[in-house]
Amino acid sequence: MSRKPPQEDIDERELDVDAPKQVAAGPTAVAITMKRALEQMGVRRTAKTLTRLNQVDGFDCQGCAWPDPDPSQRHHAEFCENGAKAVTEEATLRRVGREFFAEHPLADLEERTDYWLGQQGRITEPMVLRAGGTHYEPVSWDDAFGLIAGHLNALASPDQAIFYTSGKTSNEAAFAYQLFVRAFGTNNLPDCSNMCHESSGVALAEVMGIGKGSVSLQDVHDAKLIVIAGQNPGTNHPRMLIALEEAKRKGAKILAINPLREAGLVRFKNPQKPRGLTGKGTELADLYLPVRINGDLALFQAIGSLLLEWGAVDRDFVERYTTGFDAWAAHVQDLDWDLVLEATGLTRAQIEEAAAMFRDSDATVLCWAMGITQHRNAVATIKEFANVAFLQGNIGKPGAGLCPVRGHSNVQGDRTMGIWERPPGHFLDRLRDEFGFEPPREHGLDTVASIKALHDGDATVFFAMGGNFVSAAPDTEVTEDAMRRSALTVHVSTKLNRSHVVHGREALILPVLGRSEKDRTGGRDQRVTVEDSMSAVHASRGPLDPASPYLKSEVDIVCSLAEATLGDRHAIPWAAFRSDYTEIRRRIARVVPGCDAYDEKVDRPGGFVLPHPPRDSRTFPTTLDKAIFTVSPTDVLQVPDGRLLLQTIRSHDQFNTTIYGLDDRYRGISNGRRVVFVHPDDITALGFAEGEHVDLVSEWDGTERQATSFRIVAYDQPRGCAAAYYPETNPLVPLESTAEGSNCPTSKSVIIRLEKADGGGSGGGETPPGRGDEAKRHVEPEHLA
């Protein structure tokens, strides 16, 4: 299979390659942020949004799920560069109305890049693509709901429908959504967790009893050691840098473990402080370990083995609160160090230096993100993180714990509210008791299984509450084919994206209020709630007038669709839910564990924190009522000669699949995205030259997938490793290649080979015509700070 780039990305822009910057944020970030905001929002909207972003009386940032400080400690500018970009994208003055769709047939939109689609502006009214149609056309809300209800009620089984959820959906909308879907009769509720942190939830739930992190923001501030593994906070969670700076000020050490040497792991210039604007900033990583891709499991087994050898063990915690220690200890004591060094690409001295940092810390926070979760052995790796935490008693004490850092702003809240294809029986029992119907008990389809079902014809209706499913999912050609085989695709969206142009026989775009906008549904001021990465729940209220009078809220869309589809089945008060979200929160309080007095608690400034037994009382609600040490085999991901191990990554000008621009300032890339980062020695060994264009070909289980025309960029990382941006490289990720135990796509460990972009096979040779002098390398002093 071959995936060609949109033409404008390679012919209409000149790609520049600068020396990578090794400083995160600073005055450049401020200037870029404000310039973009003023261009798209204007002066008044910029002031009205950014001053209310992440404030107690304001709205929650869409840009990530990093927690907010205590209300008394918040700055007037409580946002980061990428948070401001996210708000700018949503609060833009650009509009996409019926005239736009009349001017642009689907054939035109299909040829546009994801970046171009996203830059057109806010969608202003519901649009429908009729069967056989060439253009989206306006449709009334009632007709849109009627069309969806007609398709749903004509299905032979409710399980023929897929109901996807983006992690931006509010708690109120998520609760109503899962209630509607289960009242309809299915648990087919895949969500973006399936593609990112599902491995974290599976691993932590098994060994700790709850699939969430065990730390607070104060724990990060108070830690003696902070470990950042498989995470690039400078791009993906920039506000985390402020917490790291605070921890460093208080004496913490930071251990960074990542194949790429990222700016956000090296030095931070805090734009909220004078020295961040004028000085050198704060040095972050005390030790940087350039681990080979997929080597984290072996690394942490080695760290555990050394800690055990050195006696750096909290015996009281191990004996009182854990089980399985002896089997785990026997396994790591017999560790094959040759295998460890092969897997990690590190020296024993490097690993011992890292282990000594653990040994010398009596309060360690271990953070990770998708660089850990998207591997075949991701669940085992996260269990190994937990083993090391259990060994030193770093659960349930100040300044310590496990910290999976989520990306979407409410992805954790959606799962708390019941967005899950495998709901626990106790949750379904509470739904039954509260609403008087028997929810389906059979597990539904996750993201990968949903794509297969749509592709095979076992599902025919796809409904997405937010997100950009086509660009987020793996194996792009298979995913696109699956969507096109659907009878109906529906997307609740604020802006255009790739999923709107890869559609079923009929398609709907339902425009929704953004987080930054006032919600006057039911004729009253409504608020919604969200949950961050550290289980804190708080309210969110947008300050702006809606982009169009025809927009509906997420809650309104769900409740209206439920009425159109279910009628008076089950006597669920959809109209009351729609007119006053307090009614939803009252039901959340009675159904969702830990949410007693929910509405009253979110009245508090800053909201409240959900209970977490391991953190709160060292109580572990696992199958054995204790924290569980687990044993996983040490393995090495074997890569054939002449091949590279590719990880897909974000650009700094990107949030998930939303592309803000074509620059990646921290990695020295401007005006382009089709680049592949390769170690300089690998470039030479494979017979290529930096700046040459190549096709990327993934090899998996006898099959090949291709993404074409990527410029080679030399970059500091372990030999044999490579990196490139998604969604451009999603076509290379096989749908069948998933993490054991979580079914999460293995987007961080894809075996590829490089071929000349003209199809001439591996090796160097002449650069394709017209591409020989596009790349420019500028080495400037500030880039090397």
Side-chain angles (χ1 to χ4, degrees):
M1 291 186 288
S2 175
R3 180 74 175 178
K4 294 183 179 180
Q7 195 66 26
E8 59 192 330
D9 262 6
I10 59 174
D11 286 348
E12 296 180 9
R13 291 185 175 270
E14 180 178 307
L15 176 64
D16 290 340
V17 183
D18 297 340
K21 290 177 182 262
Q22 292 298 298
V23 180
T28 302
V30 175
I32 290 173
T33 298
M34 295 311 299
K35 180 177 184 292
R36 191 178 310 220
L38 293 170
E39 285 175 350
Q40 289 210 37
M41 294 190 292
V43 176
R44 289 187 61 191
R45 289 172 74 84
T46 296
K48 199 168 186 178
T49 54
L50 297 186
T51 58
R52 298 285 294 280
L53 187 56
N54 295 319
Q55 302 298 337
V56 171
D57 61 346
F59 66 104
D60 190 67
C61 181
Q62 309 96 312
C64 76
W66 188 253
D68 299 321
D70 182 89
S72 65
Q73 299 174 349
R74 296 187 194 181
H75 296 273
H76 294 297
E78 192 59 58
F79 58 87
C80 67
E81 176 186 353
N82 277 7
K85 290 176 185 176
V87 172
T88 299
E89 290 283 310
E90 180 178 284
T92 179
L93 292 169
R94 299 170 183 172
R95 299 290 182 263
V96 173
R98 59 179 63 190
E99 298 83 4
F100 172 90
F101 287 106
E103 181 182 347
H104 295 280
L106 262 297
D108 175 25
L109 297 178
E110 287 173 2
E111 294 301 314
R112 303 290 185 168
T113 63
D114 290 30
Y115 173 63
W116 186 92
L117 291 172
Q119 290 302 303
Q120 300 314 298
R122 291 289 300 278
I123 303 168
T124 58
E125 60 183 317
M127 305 299 295
V128 63
L129 179 68
R130 305 290 183 183
T134 59
H135 292 71
Y136 275 104
E137 303 169 353
V139 63
S140 72
W141 277 106
D142 286 345
D143 287 347
F145 293 134
L147 177 61
I148 302 167
H151 275 273
L152 292 176
N153 287 327
L155 296 175
S157 165
D159 291 330
Q160 291 179 307
I162 306 294
F163 297 92
Y164 176 74
T165 316
S166 159
K168 183 181 167 185
T169 304
S170 72
N171 283 346
E172 289 76 6
F175 183 83
Y177 189 47
Q178 63 82 29
L179 176 61
F180 158 61
V181 171
R182 293 187 168 113
F184 177 64
T186 184
N187 280 316
N188 286 349
L189 282 160
D191 71 336
C192 56
S193 282
N194 297 150
M195 293 182 279
C196 54
H197 266 290
E198 196 67 50
S199 300
S200 299
V202 169
L204 296 179
E206 181 177 331
V207 302
M208 204 165 60
I210 181 169
K212 301 180 181 183
S214 66
V215 302
S216 67
L217 184 57
Q218 190 61 48
D219 288 325
V220 177
H221 292 165
D222 294 341
K224 300 298 192 300
L225 171 65
I226 300 171
V227 182
I228 304 171
Q231 182 196 1
N232 177 18
T235 287
N236 300 331
H237 314 95
R239 284 203 299 154
M240 182 179 177
L241 298 177
I242 297 174
L244 297 179
E245 181 184 51
E246 172 65 12
K248 290 287 288 187
R249 185 187 68 80
K250 298 171 72 173
K253 300 290 187 181
I254 294 179
L255 167 61
I257 304 169
N258 204 63
L260 299 177
R261 184 180 176 87
E262 302 282 22
L265 302 175
V266 179
R267 187 186 295 273
F268 172 48
K269 288 185 175 181
N270 188 343
Q272 296 179 348
K273 296 182 178 181
R275 70 170 180 269
L277 295 173
T278 60
K280 293 183 178 180
T282 301
E283 292 186 13
L284 294 179
D286 296 275
L287 176 63
Y288 161 64
L289 288 186
V291 68
R292 177 179 180 266
I293 293 174
N294 197 243
D296 302 273
L297 172 61
L299 172 62
F300 274 80
Q301 288 179 335
I303 289 171
S305 177
L306 290 168
L307 293 175
L308 195 61
E309 177 185 336
W310 297 338
V313 179
D314 186 333
R315 293 287 178 183
D316 181 68
F317 181 89
V318 169
E319 292 170 5
R320 293 179 60 187
Y321 300 110
T322 75
T323 184
F325 171 76
D326 290 341
W328 173 79
H331 173 66
V332 297
Q333 284 173 329
D334 195 33
L335 201 60
D336 184 338
W337 272 90
D338 289 337
L339 204 60
V340 168
L341 301 183
E342 181 184 358
T344 63
L346 302 171
T347 66
R348 179 156 182 158
Q350 287 175 302
I351 297 173
E352 288 179 347
E353 186 178 1
M357 296 176 74
F358 280 84
R359 179 197 61 201
D360 297 339
S361 167
D362 60 4
T364 299
V365 169
L366 207 169
C367 307
W368 70 91
M370 286 159 53
I372 299 299
T373 63
Q374 293 182 324
H375 297 279
R376 179 186 55 80
N377 58 4
V379 173
T381 300
I382 296 163
K383 289 180 180 179
E384 207 63 50
F385 291 177
N387 287 340
V388 172
F390 298 158
L391 183 70
Q392 294 191 287
N394 278 316
I395 303 291
K397 72 178 182 182
L402 296 168
C403 181
V405 183
R406 312 278 178 168
H408 260 110
S409 61
N410 196 43
V411 63
Q412 187 159 297
D414 288 348
R415 185 58 60 87
T416 300
M417 294 297 113
I419 299 294
W420 195 17
E421 76 281 356
R422 293 179 287 119
H426 65 79
F427 182 88
L428 298 178
D429 291 343
R430 289 194 177 196
L431 274 185
R432 176 199 61 205
D433 296 344
E434 181 65 26
F435 293 102
F437 73 94
E438 184 58 50
R441 300 281 170 162
E442 183 177 352
H443 287 172
L445 304 177
D446 64 9
T447 292
V448 168
S450 293
I451 295 169
K452 292 178 179 178
L454 290 165
H455 189 272
D456 295 342
D458 295 328
T460 59
V461 175
F462 178 86
F463 187 102
M465 180 59 68
N468 179 6
F469 186 81
V470 166
S471 289
D475 219 339
T476 306
E477 289 196 4
V478 174
T479 297
E480 290 185 350
D481 190 41
M483 300 301 283
R484 291 190 172 106
R485 296 186 186 200
S486 304
L488 176 69
T489 51
V490 185
H491 295 277
V492 177
S493 305
T494 56
K495 302 180 74 177
L496 277 176
N497 63 51
R498 179 63 49 192
S499 296
H500 301 145
V501 302
V502 181
H503 51 80
R505 287 192 296 277
E506 292 187 281
L508 283 163
I509 304 173
L510 305 182
V512 67
L513 289 173
R515 189 85 55 81
S516 61
E517 291 170 314
K518 295 175 183 176
D519 185 348
R520 291 280 299 167
T521 304
R524 70 182 74 206
D525 290 326
Q526 305 281 8
R527 64 178 176 180
V528 295
T529 54
V530 294
E531 177 186 346
D532 63 34
S533 280
M534 296 179 184
S535 304
V537 177
H538 59 273
S540 177
R541 304 173 185 83
L544 299 179
D545 291 332
S548 162
Y550 301 108
L551 306 185
K552 286 185 178 290
S553 71
E554 294 173 322
V555 170
D556 191 349
I557 291 172
V558 170
C559 293
S560 298
L561 177 58
E563 288 176 321
T565 305
L566 302 177
D568 59 1
R569 271 184 273 172
H570 311 313
I572 298 172
W574 300 110
F577 288 170
R578 179 175 51 229
S579 65
D580 186 356
Y581 302 172
T582 301
E583 295 300 318
I584 301 176
R585 289 189 285 271
R586 287 172 181 161
R587 302 303 184 104
I588 290 173
R590 296 201 286 264
V591 172
V592 180
C595 289
D596 306 65
Y598 187 83
D599 198 52
E600 295 80 0
K601 288 178 181 177
V602 295
D603 276 338
R604 303 171 185 169
F608 72 103
V609 178
L610 289 165
H612 189 290
R615 177 199 65 209
D616 300 337
S617 61
R618 288 188 162 177
T619 302
F620 297 90
T622 64
T623 55
L624 301 175
D625 293 322
K626 287 191 173 185
I628 301 172
F629 278 92
T630 53
V631 174
S632 301
T634 308
D635 59 4
V636 179
L637 183 55
Q638 298 295 334
V639 179
D641 291 341
R643 277 38 175 187
L644 300 171
L645 193 56
L646 174 78
Q647 61 169 326
T648 69
I649 59 175
R650 290 185 196 172
S651 160
H652 187 64
D653 238 0
Q654 174 180 358
F655 171 65
N656 293 339
T657 61
T658 301
I659 298 169
Y660 301 138
L662 300 178
D663 297 341
D664 190 349
R665 191 170 73 252
Y666 294 165
R667 298 190 184 104
I669 302 297
S670 59
N671 290 333
R673 290 179 50 84
R674 300 190 78 85
V675 297
V676 57
F677 299 103
V678 183
H679 190 283
D681 292 344
D682 284 329
I683 297 174
T684 301
L686 294 172
F688 294 100
E690 184 176 8
E692 193 169 354
H693 273 73
V694 294
D695 297 338
L696 311 183
V697 182
S698 73
E699 302 175 342
W700 190 85
D701 198 27
T703 63
E704 293 186 351
R705 292 158 177 80
Q706 187 179 60
T708 61
S709 194
F710 285 73
R711 178 176 295 280
I712 299 175
V713 174
Y715 206 88
D716 183 12
Q717 61 189 312
R719 289 289 307 273
C721 297
Y725 304 131
Y726 70 83
E728 289 83 355
T729 49
N730 285 357
L732 303 173
V733 184
L735 188 66
E736 297 82 5
S737 179
T738 60
E740 296 172 348
S742 70
N743 212 29
C744 185
T746 58
S747 301
K748 294 296 184 287
S749 50
V750 183
I751 295 174
I752 65 166
R753 70 176 186 270
L754 308 183
E755 293 186 346
K756 288 179 61 176
D758 61 359
S762 299
E766 294 298 320
T767 302
R771 293 175 179 157
D773 59 357
E774 291 175 346
K776 298 181 179 66
R777 176 170 293 278
H778 305 291
V779 182
E780 301 176 9
E782 64 266 32
H783 291 171
L784 304 177

